[in-house]
């Protein structure tokens, strides 16, 4: 999963209020339940030492949060606040695994990552011979992502063998091909701009195959086709919805499998060569300080996830012992969880994260990383 949503809270100094709460839907007492949940969260934060302004900001956000207009399975929120301001209010897919309120030096972002890991964003392209409509499907619902229109003449072929008609039919097929090229170019632009991870083509079989063939190779590897649904009104959407669900789940499974295979291959590098992968908190902290984490691997509830590490104000200021941070320019280090510290550091350098649900498949200790050789510029 990409961590761009976390950008607003990466460099902001703490301490942080982190609240994971269930948001009741439109039931008779939903408003009252939201108020009770908001009061409880604010009270827990105050008991942990949070300032009054931050508690009030969290209370107001949770009390006014509504599920109206959101998918029915969206019933939770992750709220991050500091300095009397809610910096990020992120909806969750379903109920949070555990509702809690935390006041800590770093925001508790790992539960958000664990909840968001399965939320694969799928760009659906509804194709016909005149153009295409785009829609982004995710756990947050369906978002209209635009449309593209190609040439509208000539579009339809005739059934005659007359020479002039054959010439016309060639012109029709040229129009189809040109429109397919325009759809493919537009699909690439939309895919890159909307943050999609996988694409599904639906609609006219001939045109969607032509569009698929005209996509650049990297995009073709994450593009699939569906025989259901289409651009026309009344097109079968029920079976298309099933195809979308299948494509999203298959992509996440294949992606996690690929990451684990690359991690194991990197960890097997021996001798004096530097490793392509790292596991264990000390090795991961060293990689994070050097901005070398390319993909961070997290396992919910793992032994290393809750291990205490020391952090400074900057995402690359982290250490196993607090005294180490003095050499990194931090004179007032704070204790934090290893998973949150590493996730913050990874997000700051544009890395991605994957969540491994099966402990038997996870790295030793539950945390690991695929490393990069270059060291990208620290997030500004």
């Amino acid at each position: 999963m990409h961590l761009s949503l976390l950008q607003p809270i990466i460099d902001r100094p703490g301490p942080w209020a982190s609240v994971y709460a269930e948001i009741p839907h439109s039931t008779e007492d939903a408003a009252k339940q939201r108020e009770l949940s908001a009061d409880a969260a604010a009270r827990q934060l105050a008991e942990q030492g949070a300032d009054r302004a931050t508690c009030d900001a969290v209370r107001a956000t949770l009390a006014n949060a509504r599920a109206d207009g959101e998918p029915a399975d969206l019933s939770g929120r992750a709220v991050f606040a500091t300095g009397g301001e809610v910096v990020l209010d992120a909806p969750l897919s379903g109920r949070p695994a555990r509702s809690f309120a935390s006041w800590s030096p770093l925001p508790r972002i790992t539960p958000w990552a664990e909840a968001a890991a399965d939320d694969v964003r799928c760009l659906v392209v509804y194709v016909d011979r005149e153009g295409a409509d785009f829609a982004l499907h995710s756990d947050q619902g369906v978002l209209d992502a635009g449309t593209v229109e190609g040439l509208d003449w000539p579009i339809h072929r005739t059934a005659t063998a007359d020479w002039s008609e054959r010439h016309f039919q060639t012109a029709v097929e040229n129009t189809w091909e040109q429109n397919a090229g325009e759809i493919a170019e537009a699909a690439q632009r939309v895919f890159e701009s909307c943050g999609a991870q996988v694409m599904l083509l639906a609609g006219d079989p001939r045109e969607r195959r032509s569009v698929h063939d005209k996509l650049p190779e990297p995009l073709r590897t994450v593009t699939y086709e569906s025989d259901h649904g289409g651009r026309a009104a009344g097109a079968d959407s029920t079976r298309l919805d099933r195809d979308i669900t299948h494509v999203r789940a298959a992509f996440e499974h294949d992606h996690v499998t690929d990451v684990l295979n690359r991690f194991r291959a990197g960890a097997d590098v021996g001798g004096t060569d530097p490793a392509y992968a790292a596991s264990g908190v000390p090795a991961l902290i060293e990689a994070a300080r050097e901005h070398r984490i390319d993909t961070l691997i997290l396992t919910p509830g793992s032994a290393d996830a809750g291990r205490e590490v020391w952090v400074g104000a900057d995402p690359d200021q982290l250490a196993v012992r607090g005294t180490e941070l003095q050499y990194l320019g931090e004179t007032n280090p704070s204790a934090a969880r290893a998973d949150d510290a590493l996730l913050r550091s990874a997000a700051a350098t544009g890395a991605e994260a994957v969540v491994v649900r099966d402990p038997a498949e996870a790295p030793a200790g539950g945390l690991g990383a695929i490393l990069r050789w270059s060291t990208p510029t620290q997030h500004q």
Side-chain angles (χ1 to χ4, degrees), residues 27-96:
T27 58
E28 186 174 333
D29 64 343
K32 182 61 176 178
Q33 291 299 321
R34 286 196 300 270
E35 289 183 8
L36 292 174
S37 177
D39 289 342
R43 184 169 58 253
Q44 292 173 38
L45 292 172
E47 292 171 352
Q48 296 174 55
D51 59 278
R52 175 70 178 271
T54 299
C55 292
D56 289 346
V58 169
R59 179 190 292 110
T61 295
L62 292 176
N64 294 323
R66 299 180 62 84
D68 298 349
E70 293 181 344
D73 57 351
L74 277 182
S75 58
R77 282 193 127 73
V79 175
F80 305 97
T82 188
E85 175 189 1
V86 171
V87 181
L88 180 62
D89 176 11
L92 301 175
S93 303
R95 299 177 181 179

Side-chain angles (χ1 to χ4, degrees), residues 27-365:
T27 58
E28 186 174 333
D29 64 343
K32 182 61 176 178
Q33 291 299 321
R34 286 196 300 270
E35 289 183 8
L36 292 174
S37 177
D39 289 342
R43 184 169 58 253
Q44 292 173 38
L45 292 172
E47 292 171 352
Q48 296 174 55
D51 59 278
R52 175 70 178 271
T54 299
C55 292
D56 289 346
V58 169
R59 179 190 292 110
T61 295
L62 292 176
N64 294 323
R66 299 180 62 84
D68 298 349
E70 293 181 344
D73 57 351
L74 277 182
S75 58
R77 282 193 127 73
V79 175
F80 305 97
T82 188
E85 175 189 1
V86 171
V87 181
L88 180 62
D89 176 11
L92 301 175
S93 303
R95 299 177 181 179
R98 181 172 67 90
S99 296
F100 69 91
S102 171
W103 180 247
S104 54
L106 295 186
R108 288 284 290 112
I109 51 180
T110 302
W112 169 84
E114 293 171 357
D118 299 326
D119 188 9
V120 174
R121 289 159 295 188
C122 177
L123 179 65
V124 180
V125 185
Y126 300 89
V127 177
D128 65 17
R129 294 174 183 178
E130 297 181 29
D133 300 321
F134 303 99
L136 183 66
H137 290 247
S138 72
D139 287 350
Q140 317 308 314
V142 181
L143 178 66
D144 183 353
T147 188
V148 61
E149 297 291 349
L151 298 176
D152 59 6
W153 191 90
I155 289 293
H156 302 291
R157 294 191 297 186
T158 65
T160 180
D162 181 81
W163 178 88
S164 62
E165 294 301 334
R166 290 200 304 271
H167 180 74
F168 179 80
Q169 291 174 19
T170 299
V172 168
E173 294 186 5
N174 289 341
T175 299
W176 293 349
E177 287 298 306
Q178 181 173 338
N179 287 352
E182 293 185 8
I183 293 169
E185 291 179 5
Q188 181 182 7
R189 291 195 301 270
V190 175
F191 185 88
E192 293 172 350
S193 64
C194 73
Q197 298 154 281
V198 65
M199 186 157 70
L200 182 65
L201 304 177
D204 181 87
R206 184 188 190 282
E207 194 71 0
R208 71 172 190 252
R209 169 50 50 185
S210 184
V211 170
H212 187 280
D213 291 343
K214 295 179 186 304
L215 294 170
E217 176 60 26
L219 185 52
R220 282 205 303 271
T221 62
V222 292
T223 299
Y224 303 85
E225 296 184 47
S226 171
D227 292 327
H228 308 120
R231 202 178 185 202
D236 177 17
S237 61
T238 301
R239 284 183 288 183
L240 176 61
D241 288 342
R242 288 200 293 265
D243 289 345
I244 294 170
T245 299
H246 174 76
V247 165
R248 294 175 65 206
F251 175 86
E252 178 62 19
H253 176 271
D254 292 347
H255 180 58
V256 172
T257 299
D258 176 65
V259 167
L260 288 174
N261 287 339
R262 288 191 289 128
F263 171 81
R264 294 181 187 116
D268 286 341
V269 174
T272 59
D273 293 331
Y276 290 92
S279 61
V281 171
L284 290 169
I285 283 180
E286 180 179 357
R289 288 203 300 241
E290 296 174 352
H291 306 172
R292 291 188 59 212
I293 292 180
D294 181 75
T295 304
L296 182 66
I297 301 170
L298 303 166
T299 308
S302 60
D304 281 349
R307 181 172 168 177
E308 182 180 86
V309 299
W310 293 85
V311 298
D314 295 331
D316 58 0
Q317 291 180 317
L318 63 170
V320 175
R321 292 177 292 275
T323 53
E324 296 178 43
L325 286 182
Q326 296 177 3
Y327 301 103
L328 300 176
E330 177 58 60
T331 59
N332 188 29
S334 301
R337 288 175 57 103
D339 52 3
D340 289 329
L342 290 166
L343 190 58
R344 179 182 71 148
S345 180
T349 57
E352 70 161 330
V354 300
V355 174
V356 179
R357 307 289 182 186
D358 184 357
E361 298 292 326

